[in-house]
Each structure stands twice: as structure tokens, then as C-alpha cells.
């Protein structure tokens, strides 16, 4: 099993403790996500020191209005690392609105260019910006992963363009029926799961800091919604992630 999106660098517990619990739960691989250059450096260090851990590196749209957005050259250098498997998370967030929209678009476009240059998947953050996200991705021909999918209105475009759709712990919430309905429509070869640790802990861990071990609850909820066997779905998701992120084939030994 794999957790395709966790912020191990900002979790309260040390990464080695979180990863030990994850492995005990059957989660053998984790993609830790850097948000900003310093976070990316820490994420890479974690990936270097732990088996089965890889890193997605990006500058978050919340950081688009500040100095972090000027560090794209440093991001490009970090993306050369063998443990760097994706660009992101990047995208648009018009819900929090912590950065001007034009600066968000500019930063997003620059990171799409990096993803194309390095031939890496791009991990998309999207909140309240469905039309703009679709527009900006229109000319991007690489692998797209819609992180923490929570915009059913984006699903038609995702299905048409063969994007990967990643579901987090919020799909387990009682009021998330719309998300579960969306999950039924995602093709078997395009579905992913994540924790977004330490955020969005699933039922029955809601109210506590999230961690990679908890991805098992999200897989179970998706399997129930889709009428599938949980173990078979977990194996399919692991295989999907291997392709999407160009990971070593089903092995935590690197």
C-alpha cells in the first residue's frame, strides 16, 4: 500500500516513528511533499534516509505572494535529485486567497514548465479555482495528479484528460457522499489515495493528527463506495502510483 501525499516534515511525530507505524499497517511507500524550498530540502533528506520514501517538491500557491516564489532556480536544482518524483504541490487556491491571483497563476505556470522540463508528474492543489485550473492545464501534456480531490465539478475534465484523481481522508466523512459518488466514476487505472498528513484525518481517526498509516481507512472507504475488495484496490492504487510517479516497481528497498 502507498500514501501518495504526506507532509512528513511538519508532522508532530518524528518521520521514523510515523513510517514504522505505516509499515506495520501495510503502508510500504510514502511520498512526502515539500512546500517551499526549505521544506523541500527537509523532505528530500527524509526520502534519502528512509526506505520506500520519495519526495514531491514544489512551492505552494499560498507562498506565491512572497519571496519563496522567487526561488524557482533552487527548486529546479532540487528536482534533479533521484528521490524527487514530482513537482508540487502547485496550483491555485482562491478559497484562502493568501496570495494575489496573478502571482498564483505565474508561479503555477512556472512549475508546470519545470515539470515538463524534467519529465515529472505535477501534483495539483485546487480550491475554488476549477475553471482556471482546467485552463492552465490545457496545454500541459505530462502526468497530472489532482491532490486531495474535493471538486466534483472538475471530474469531467479529469476523466477526459486522463488525470490521476487522489482521494484523502475527507472522502470518509459522513457528509462526503458527493465525493464518494465521484470516486465511483474514476477508472481503476486512475485512482490514487493519500493522507495529506498531518491534515484531514479519516474516520475513525478524525480529530487527531493524521499520519500515513491511516491511508488504510481511506482505501477501505473507497473500496466500499466502489463495491470492490479493499486489498485488491490497495494493490491497484499502488500500481497506479508506480506508473504516475515513475517509482521503482513495487519495492521499498530503495
Amino acid at each position: 500500500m502507498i500514501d501518495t501525499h504526506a507532509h512528513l516534515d511538519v508532522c508532530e511525530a518524528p518521520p521514523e516513528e510515523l513510517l514504522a507505524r505505516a509499515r506495520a499497517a501495510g503502508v510500504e511507500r510514502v511520498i512526502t511533499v515539500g512546500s517551499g524550498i526549505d521544506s523541500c530540502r527537509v523532505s528530500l533528506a527524509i526520502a534519502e534516509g528512509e526506505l520506500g520514501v520519495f519526495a514531491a517538491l514544489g512551492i505552494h500557491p499560498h507562498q506565491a505572494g512572497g519571496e519563496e516564489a522567487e526561488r524557482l532556480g533552487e527548486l529546479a536544482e532540487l528536482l534533479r535529485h533521484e528521490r524527487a518524483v514530482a513537482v508540487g504541490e502547485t496550483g491555485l487556491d482562491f478559497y484562502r486567497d493568501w496570495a494575489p491571483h496573478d502571482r498564483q497563476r505565474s508561479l503555477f505556470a512556472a512549475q508546470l514548465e519545470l515539470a515538463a522540463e524534467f519529465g515529472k508528474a505535477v501534483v495539483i492543489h485546487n480550491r475554488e479555482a476549477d475553471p482556471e485550473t482546467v485552463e492552465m492545464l490545457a496545454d500541459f501534456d505530462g502526468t497530472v495528479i489532482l491532490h486531495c480531490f474535493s471538486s466534483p465539478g472538475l471530474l469531467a475534465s479529469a476523466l477526459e484528460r486522463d488525470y490521476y484523481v487522489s482521494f484523502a481522508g475527507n472522502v470518509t466523512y459522513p457528509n462526503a457522499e458527493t465525493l464518494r459518488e465521484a470516486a465511483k466514476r474514476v477508472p481503476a487505472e486512475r485512482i490514487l489515495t493519500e493522507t495529506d498528513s498531518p491534515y484531514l484525518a479519516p474516520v475513525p481517526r478524525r480529530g487527531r493528527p493524521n499520519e500515513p498509516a491511516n491511508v488504510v481507512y481511506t482505501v477501505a472507504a473507497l473500496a466500499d463506495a466502489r463495491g470492490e475488495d479493499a486489498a485488491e484496490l490497495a494493490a491497484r492504487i499502488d500500481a497506479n502510483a508506480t506508473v504516475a510517479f515513475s517509482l521503482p516497481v513495487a519495492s521499498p528497498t530503495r
Side-chain angles (χ1 to χ4, degrees):
M1 203 178 306
I2 186 169
D3 177 3
T4 66
H5 195 110
H7 298 271
L8 295 181
D9 65 312
V10 296
C11 290
E12 291 183 13
E16 56 269 22
E17 290 184 15
L18 296 172
L19 293 166
R21 289 200 288 269
R23 291 169 187 136
V27 183
E28 296 183 335
R29 300 195 291 182
V30 175
I31 295 173
T32 187
V33 180
S35 292
I37 300 304
D38 294 341
S39 173
C40 287
R41 294 188 192 282
V42 174
S43 297
L44 273 179
I46 295 170
E48 284 181 325
E50 293 285 347
L51 297 179
V53 179
F54 303 87
L57 309 177
I59 301 172
H60 198 282
H62 289 337
Q63 300 169 311
E67 295 179 358
E68 203 69 28
E70 307 303 320
R71 304 178 72 179
L72 288 162
E74 292 177 76
L75 177 60
E77 287 303 311
L78 294 176
L79 287 167
R80 299 181 189 278
H81 196 288
E82 65 174 358
R83 308 296 283 192
V85 296
V87 176
E89 60 191 277
T90 182
L92 303 172
D93 192 318
F94 296 170
Y95 175 74
R96 295 290 184 191
D97 253 355
W98 287 352
H101 292 186
D102 61 335
R103 296 290 298 276
Q104 291 191 45
R105 290 189 181 94
S106 177
L107 180 61
F108 187 13
Q111 291 181 90
L112 288 175
E113 290 179 5
L114 286 176
E117 176 184 348
F118 287 96
K120 296 187 185 296
V122 63
V123 178
I124 302 299
H125 174 107
N126 166 59
R127 292 196 74 183
E128 302 294 337
D130 289 0
E132 294 85 355
T133 297
V134 169
E135 179 184 1
M136 292 199 65
L137 287 171
D139 295 326
F140 181 74
D141 294 327
T143 299
V144 172
I145 296 152
L146 300 180
H147 143 67
C148 190
F149 186 76
S150 57
S151 300
L154 196 58
L155 186 61
S157 294
L159 298 180
E160 180 182 351
R161 307 250 3 230
D162 287 332
Y163 296 160
Y164 288 90
V165 182
S166 183
F167 293 90
N170 53 340
V171 78
T172 71
Y173 298 170
N175 64 349
E177 190 58 39
T178 302
L179 277 184
R180 289 188 286 274
E181 287 296 321
K184 295 178 183 179
R185 297 177 56 197
V186 177
E189 67 274 12
R190 293 295 171 188
I191 192 167
L192 296 173
T193 48
E194 62 178 86
T195 59
D196 202 17
S197 298
Y199 318 109
L200 292 176
V203 175
R205 302 293 186 183
R206 198 171 181 184
R208 311 177 200 179
N210 204 2
E211 59 181 89
N214 291 338
V215 76
V216 298
Y217 298 109
T218 301
V219 171
L222 289 171
D224 182 67
R226 291 166 63 90
E228 298 177 13
D229 177 78
E232 291 179 1
L233 180 60
R236 164 50 60 187
I237 290 169
D238 189 78
N240 291 346
T242 298
V243 175
F245 293 100
S246 299
L247 302 178
V249 178
S251 172
T253 58
R254 289 188 61 231

